[in-house]
Amino acid sequence: MPDLAHRVVDVHYHAGPDLYRRRLTSTGAGLAYAAAGGWVVLKSHLSSTAARAWEARQDGLPVSGSVVLNDLAGGVVPRVVEQAVFAHGPDSPARLVVHLPTLVGPAHPSGLRRASFHPRLDADQWRGEPVVDPEGRLARGASDVLRAARDLPVVVATGHCDRDATLRVIDEAVRVGTPRLLLTHATHPMSGFTPADLTELADVPGLYVEITALTLLLGHRDARHLGEVVRAHPRVVFSSDLGQPDQPDVAGWLAASTHWFDEAGLTARQIAAITRSGPADLLTP
């Protein structure tokens, strides 16, 4: 059974089927990361990847799964999380990643060229309500999921929450004792955190911060900013957020990352922390 030790760990890779067409299937992604000596967490806005990840691991591939709690996939309710945990199998060396909804509110402007996976699928028709209401109250379902996560082998990720909603989720996670929380693409414009904000969150127990290659590739942030994020928070993970047909493949992402790390002035220890030990610690049960 593949494990996470001494590998590049990508906690955020899109494989088909998904809302949009992707470069690779789950098996294809597993083969690509195996060739690169890595581990991959598959993500789909459409459905859970837990069962796909279990099947890939039975073939010896370094794959674990996730579920995004969009209305389309069952919503923000603990039973959706529990079903995905069961489908992920009892043998996974990695926690299942549970993303709060990504299809919420108005669509964020994207520089990506995207084609729908299915001709009947209109993603905007499935947009639901944010996890925080206009008065700033966290939805009961989100609080229930955070509580359920205390007793399940999962990481809760903030999905496409904006800054205010993310802070409310963090407060609730601390209050109820959620052990692992991932602040998804933290400094992307849709999330809106600054390196200074991340420093203020450094003492939140079990909080990890993600910055993605796609954020750099689309020009939202640059390598200098990557360095600032790494130096701002003690638990940063660098993921790809890739899988789009017109974006780099796995080998291309890893090659580009080497240049970014050099431009960011990162040390070998910092690089290992954000690509290997940090994400492995996040995922290890």
Side-chain angles (χ1 to χ4, degrees), residues 122-263:
D122 179 356
D124 287 335
Q125 291 184 351
W126 287 95
R127 291 191 173 276
E129 295 299 319
V131 297
V132 171
D133 68 22
E135 285 71 45
R137 294 174 298 213
L138 189 66
R140 178 176 178 179
S143 184
D144 290 345
V145 165
L146 290 169
R147 287 193 185 90
R150 295 179 301 192
D151 302 314
L152 294 170
V154 302
V155 174
V156 178
T158 55
H160 286 185
C161 286
D162 63 18
R163 186 180 186 280
D164 289 343
T166 297
L167 290 172
R168 186 68 189 88
V169 170
I170 292 171
D171 287 345
E172 183 69 359
V174 170
R175 190 183 74 82
V176 303
T178 306
R180 310 275 176 93
L181 188 68
L182 177 63
L183 205 169
T184 312
H185 36 58
T187 59
H188 186 283
M190 79 170 69
S191 303
F193 286 86
T194 66
D197 292 330
L198 301 180
T199 297
E200 292 184 4
L201 295 171
D203 293 332
V204 176
L207 178 67
Y208 291 72
V209 168
E210 178 195 37
I211 183 168
T212 74
L214 187 61
T215 300
L216 276 66
L217 288 164
L218 294 180
H220 296 305
R221 300 290 181 260
D222 58 17
R224 180 188 59 80
H225 177 83
L226 169 63
E228 291 176 353
V229 170
V230 172
R231 289 182 278 270
H233 195 278
R235 294 174 298 280
V236 173
V237 299
F238 182 68
S239 69
S240 73
D241 195 11
L242 294 178
Q244 303 82 3
D246 61 345
Q247 295 297 325
D249 60 13
V250 174
W253 165 53
L254 293 173
S257 298
T258 299
H259 296 294
W260 290 327
F261 297 156
D262 184 59
E263 292 175 14

